[in-house]
Amino acid sequence: MNIYYDIIAQMAQTMRNLQAILAKAEEHAARLKFEPENYLTLRLFPNMLPFSAQIRILTDASKFAAAYLSGQTPPVTEDNEKTWADYKARLASAISYIESFKPEQFANAAEVKVSLKSFKGKYMTGHDFLICRQSPNFHFHVVTAYNLLRQGGVEVGKGDYLGALPLKD
Amino acid sequence: MNIYYDIIAQMAQTMRNLQAILAKAEEHAARLKFEPENYLTLRLFPNMLPFSAQIRILTDASKFAAAYLSGQTPPVTEDNEKTWADYKARLASAISYIESFKPEQFANAAEVKVSLKSFKGKYMTGHDFLICRQSPNFHFHVVTAYNLLRQGGVEVGKGDYLGALPLKD
């Protein structure tokens, strides 16, 4: 068992839950006869990043977590998505990427040094990066995406966000 | 180092960041000359739980995580908060509770069995409970509280939510 691997694998599970939420959003759009593209520009306030950016950043957050904690360079993406289908494909691609990792790749995850541009020459240990920065950042954008759809009238609840739980008898 | 302890300690840090966000909400209310009590009933959609419930559930989520993973019974709360000050006190109390724990109390956190009423006789390991259920649940309600204030015009951004990061030279 490698807990760093498990935390990152849970990001894939959360993104799968988000896929199911997006499917409910599509049904909602079909019922009300509008294009799901209309979701992409949703904001809670005019100076917020829109729904599309929530998908972009949450997928990046998961990929950066997996890459940096396993000592790899994250894949470069062109960030040229335009349509609802494009953003769904971006989400599916991030899930596939996360699920390509194996627990043993995270053997040195706690100690690896992570230095993003925004850290201005400083670094965080992989441990701190995941717990203090990347996991909260990932959740921030997933829940904001959820809340934007929730405000838009899509019939979802916390159960959709949490998904199936690994209960044991 | 105990990573279960660290994940739960980060919940206290996130709640401290939320305290700073609530302070900005108070300033916003003062500037616009309304009572912060008005925030307590905010919702993004009529069938959502209000802002006050976000505070109630996120504080419970953190306390349950710390209690169950250390093999303790969480403290009983009366859930009788009414005012903005009451909810701030509830948040401060949860932070104090989380910060009263020590890493060694989580030595058996991975294997401890957690069985909530809603699990209907089944259980999760402490490991699964924290990663698959309690951490996502905690973030769900913190980010929703944030988003409700964001929609309400409080001038906050992701930096307020993430707070200071443990960068190293």
Side-chain angles (χ1 to χ4, degrees):
Chain A
M1 188 175 83
N2 181 302
I3 192 167
Y4 298 99
Y5 170 82
D6 290 346
I7 292 171
I8 291 165
Q10 177 61 28
M11 290 184 179
Q13 181 57 50
T14 296
M15 289 191 285
R16 287 198 179 278
N17 300 342
L18 182 58
Q19 284 183 314
I21 290 168
L22 297 189
K24 288 195 175 183
E26 287 179 11
E27 289 167 22
H28 175 78
R31 189 162 60 79
L32 272 63
K33 299 192 182 0
F34 68 84
E35 294 300 321
E37 263 61 27
N38 293 8
Y39 293 124
L40 298 177
T41 52
L42 286 183
R43 292 177 160 97
L44 297 171
F45 204 77
N47 71 345
M48 251 182 79
L49 291 174
F51 181 87
S52 56
Q54 310 303 329
I55 303 293
R56 176 171 56 77
I57 303 174
L58 77 90
T59 49
D60 279 353
S62 68
K63 289 186 287 184
F64 290 5
Y68 289 130
L69 265 72
S70 60
Q72 295 185 51
T73 304
V76 174
T77 52
E78 296 194 22
D79 299 339
N80 56 0
E81 291 82 5
K82 288 194 177 121
T83 67
W84 178 256
D86 290 341
Y87 282 98
K88 284 209 300 179
R90 184 182 179 109
L91 183 58
S93 164
I95 294 169
S96 296
Y97 179 70
I98 301 306
E99 292 184 341
S100 72
F101 283 80
K102 295 189 176 9
E104 52 269 29
Q105 291 177 267
F106 296 91
N108 302 316
E111 295 83 21
V112 68
K113 291 184 180 184
V114 180
S115 186
L116 303 188
K117 267 186 198 165
S118 61
F119 297 170
K120 296 175 181 169
K122 300 196 175 192
Y123 75 93
M124 271 189 261
T125 62
H127 177 87
D128 289 351
F129 179 67
L130 186 62
I131 294 171
C132 307
R133 207 271 190 181
Q134 212 65 352
S135 178
N137 192 38
F138 173 79
H139 287 98
F140 182 89
H141 293 287
V142 178
V143 178
T144 299
Y146 167 97
N147 277 328
L148 286 164
L149 297 175
R150 189 78 169 83
Q151 185 199 41
V154 179
E155 291 179 15
V156 287
K158 192 170 70 180
D160 296 289
Y161 165 76
L162 290 178
L165 296 174
L167 292 167
K168 295 189 164 90
D169 284 312
Chain B
M1 188 176 82
N2 183 302
I3 191 168
Y4 298 100
Y5 170 82
D6 290 346
I7 293 171
I8 291 165
Q10 177 60 29
M11 290 183 179
Q13 181 56 50
T14 296
M15 289 191 286
R16 287 199 179 278
N17 300 343
L18 183 58
Q19 285 183 314
I21 290 168
L22 297 189
K24 287 195 176 183
E26 286 179 10
E27 289 166 23
H28 175 78
R31 189 163 59 81
L32 270 66
K33 299 190 181 2
F34 68 84
E35 293 301 320
E37 263 61 27
N38 293 8
Y39 293 123
L40 297 177
T41 52
L42 286 184
R43 293 178 160 95
L44 296 171
F45 204 77
N47 71 346
M48 252 182 78
L49 291 174
F51 181 87
S52 56
Q54 311 302 330
I55 303 292
R56 175 171 56 76
I57 303 174
L58 77 90
T59 49
D60 279 353
S62 68
K63 289 186 288 184
F64 290 5
Y68 290 130
L69 265 73
S70 61
Q72 294 185 50
T73 304
V76 174
T77 50
E78 297 193 22
D79 300 337
N80 57 0
E81 292 83 5
K82 287 194 177 120
T83 66
W84 177 256
D86 290 342
Y87 282 98
K88 285 209 299 178
R90 184 182 180 109
L91 183 58
S93 164
I95 294 169
S96 296
Y97 179 70
I98 301 304
E99 293 185 340
S100 73
F101 283 80
K102 295 187 176 8
E104 53 268 28
Q105 291 177 269
F106 296 91
N108 301 316
E111 295 83 22
V112 68
K113 291 184 179 184
V114 179
S115 186
L116 303 188
K117 266 185 198 166
S118 62
F119 298 170
K120 294 174 182 170
K122 300 195 176 194
Y123 75 93
M124 272 190 260
T125 62
H127 177 86
D128 290 351
F129 180 67
L130 186 62
I131 293 172
C132 308
R133 208 271 189 182
Q134 213 65 352
S135 179
N137 192 39
F138 172 79
H139 287 98
F140 182 89
H141 293 287
V142 177
V143 178
T144 298
Y146 168 96
N147 277 328
L148 287 164
L149 297 176
R150 188 79 168 82
Q151 185 198 42
V154 179
E155 292 179 16
V156 287
K158 192 169 70 179
D160 296 291
Y161 166 76
L162 290 178
L165 297 173
L167 292 166
K168 295 189 165 93
D169 285 312

